[in-house]
Amino acid sequence: MKRRDFLGRAGLGAAVGAAACSPSPVPGARVPSRGKKIRWRLASSFPRALDTIFGCAEVFAERLKAMTDGQFELRVHPAGELVPGLQVMDAVQQGTAQVGHTCSYYYTGKNPALAFDTCVPFGLTARQQTAWLMEAGGLQLIHGLFADFGILTFPGGNTGTQMGGWFKNDINSAADLKGLKMRIPGMGGKVMSRLGASVQVIAGGEIYPALERGAIDATEWVGPYDDEKLGFYKVAKNYYYPGWWEPGPSLSFYVNRKAWDSLPKSYQAAFEQAAFASGLTMQNRYDVLNPPALRRLLSKGVELRPFPQDLMDAAKRESQAMLEEEASKDKAYAKIYNHWKSYRTEAFEWFGKAELAYAKAAFGD
Ligand code: CA
C-alpha cells in the first residue's frame, strides 16, 4: 500500500491505521512492532523559561505525536535536566538522547564550519538562511559535517535578526569598543575582540549579576522579548542595534543516526515536517512577541540606539577578513564557505532591491 494511503487511513484512528498496514521498513532496520509506541528523549540547550526557543521543541513533540496518531512520543528535557545545555551534541552522538534541539555554533570547537548551520557575522537573514539550507544545497553540506558525529540535522527555528545588546555607556564610534568588557560568545565575540573589546563568555543566568556589579560593561542576548525577562534594562539603559553577528541564527534538531535509521519512513517524514513547522512557529512567535516587548522596554526608559556607522563598517571588514582567514586554513571549511558565500552574494543583490527598498519606504526610520 502506498504511504499516502497509510497516512490517510491512519487519520481514522491509531487502531485502524496500525492494523490496516505497516509503513515500509528501512532495509535492514528494526521496525517497531505493531501497536508499540516509540518513546524518545529530546535534550534542549535552553531553559524552560525561554518559552519561544524551548517552546519550539515542545511544539515539535506535539506535532510529531499528532502526525503519528500518538505512536511517536518525545519527552522534552530542558537544559540541565538530562545534560548541560552545551552538551546536547555529545548527548545525541552518544545516544543519551535520541534527539536534540540546539545551535550548531555552540560546537565550533569540534569543527569551525559548524557555524554555517546557525549563522556567522554579516551573514544571512532568517529567510536567506532557511533558503540556503533547505533549497540551495546548504543542508547537504552540513549533513556531510555531521556524518562524522553520527548525527542527522534539520533546521528547527530562527530568532530573526537579534539586537546588539545592552551597554552601560554610549558607544559613539568604533574606538569606544577599545577595552570594553562585553559578554558575547562565538564568532561575534571574535570580531569584537579584533575591534579591541575585552570579550567574556558567561552563561545566561550569570550575565545580570556580572553586569550589575560592573564585571562587564555590556552584554548581548537575543531580542526584546527574551532580554526583558533577564532584566538587563535595570542596569544598562542603552539598547543598541542591530546584532550584526546574529542576523538570522537558525536552530537545529539533531537526531542520532542509528535511531533515525530504525524509524519507519513515514515517521521520518513526520519528523522532518514537524521540525520545519515548529521552526516556523518559533519565528512567528518572535515576530508577534518582540514588538510589544520593545514598547514595554522603551516605556521603562530604555534608550534605543543604532551602532555608529564607523563601527558597522569596521565590524563588516573584520568579519569578512576572519571568514577568509578560516577558509584559507581548512579545505573542508572553505568548501562550505565558498558555497555559502556564492549564495550570500546573490541573495544580497536580490534582497538589496525589492525587500530593502520596501522596508525603507514602509517601516524605515
Ligand atoms: Ca545572541
Side-chain angles (χ1 to χ4, degrees):
M1 188 174 286
K2 289 176 184 170
R3 197 166 77 217
R4 194 183 302 139
D5 296 335
F6 167 71
L7 291 171
R9 282 168 185 261
L12 298 172
V16 175
C21 58
S22 295
S24 310
V26 176
R30 184 182 60 81
V31 176
S33 60
R34 207 169 278 170
K36 185 184 170 191
K37 282 189 173 182
I38 298 176
R39 291 178 189 271
W40 281 6
R41 290 182 296 272
L42 182 152
S44 169
S45 283
F46 312 103
R48 202 179 288 279
L50 293 179
D51 55 343
T52 40
I53 308 188
F54 177 79
C56 178
E58 289 183 311
V59 171
F60 169 66
E62 282 162 18
R63 301 233 168 118
L64 191 57
K65 189 177 174 184
M67 281 195 268
T68 56
D69 279 326
Q71 295 301 298
F72 192 177
E73 281 192 67
L74 291 177
R75 181 155 181 210
V76 180
H77 297 271
E81 198 172 277
L82 212 54
V83 289
L86 300 183
Q87 287 175 26
V88 167
M89 184 169 168
D90 303 85
V92 175
Q93 185 179 358
Q94 290 154 14
T96 310
Q98 293 88 346
V99 183
H101 188 228
T102 188
C103 295
S104 297
Y105 67 2
Y106 293 153
Y107 313 107
T108 48
K110 297 176 189 290
N111 184 337
L114 293 179
F116 290 100
D117 192 31
T118 313
C119 69
V120 298
F122 285 92
L124 306 172
T125 63
R127 253 181 76 185
Q128 293 164 354
Q129 178 72 7
T130 306
W132 177 68
L133 286 169
M134 301 296 285
E135 298 296 332
L139 195 57
Q140 281 96 311
L141 292 170
I142 297 297
H143 283 174
L145 297 177
F146 277 94
D148 295 344
F149 302 96
I151 290 173
L152 195 61
T153 68
F154 298 95
N158 198 304
T159 65
T161 303
Q162 296 198 357
M163 288 294 278
W166 302 87
F167 292 70
K168 287 195 165 181
N169 299 313
D170 292 2
I171 299 293
N172 295 309
S173 77
D176 289 341
L177 293 178
K178 297 265 188 302
L180 183 93
K181 293 183 295 233
M182 181 170 185
R183 180 268 176 196
I184 172 172
M187 293 174 91
K190 284 186 184 167
V191 178
M192 278 292 188
S193 182
R194 289 169 78 116
L195 294 171
S198 168
V199 168
Q200 306 200 18
V201 179
I202 303 171
E206 294 154 32
I207 304 173
Y208 182 89
L211 197 60
E212 188 179 35
R213 70 173 185 268
I216 51 173
D217 309 308
T219 186
E220 65 84 54
W221 185 240
V222 178
Y225 182 72
D226 293 335
D227 292 9
E228 185 186 30
K229 289 184 178 179
L230 295 189
F232 303 132
Y233 63 91
K234 294 173 193 163
V235 283
K237 289 288 178 201
N238 300 295
Y239 198 20
Y240 277 88
Y241 65 91
W244 42 264
W245 50 93
E246 289 178 290
S250 180
L251 289 90
S252 307
F253 285 107
Y254 290 179
V255 56
N256 178 283
R257 184 78 217 200
K258 278 187 191 154
W260 174 262
D261 288 343
S262 77
L263 289 176
K265 278 194 185 300
S266 61
Y267 283 22
Q268 291 179 344
F271 188 108
E272 199 168 347
Q273 291 305 312
F276 193 61
S278 63
L280 277 180
T281 298
M282 172 179 157
Q283 199 169 307
N284 293 341
R285 285 182 180 174
Y286 269 118
D287 286 344
V288 168
L289 294 167
N290 273 328
L294 182 59
R295 279 191 176 179
R296 287 193 298 274
L297 289 169
L298 292 176
S299 75
K300 291 167 182 166
V302 165
E303 295 279 343
L304 194 59
R305 300 177 190 276
F307 279 127
Q309 190 59 47
D310 78 315
L311 188 156
M312 292 298 290
D313 293 343
K316 189 173 175 182
R317 202 167 50 240
E318 289 300 330
S319 297
Q320 290 173 350
M322 183 183 69
L323 293 173
E324 293 288 339
E325 284 169 24
E326 289 279 356
S328 70
K329 289 189 288 193
D330 179 346
K331 272 189 188 164
Y333 185 100
K335 185 182 169 195
I336 292 199
Y337 172 61
N338 289 329
H339 185 278
W340 173 91
K341 188 178 166 188
S342 161
Y343 174 74
R344 183 186 66 173
T345 303
E346 286 187 356
F348 280 11
E349 279 172 17
W350 162 236
F351 279 74
K353 299 295 182 294
E355 294 283 341
L356 182 60
Y358 177 72
K360 279 184 176 168
F363 51 87
D365 289 332

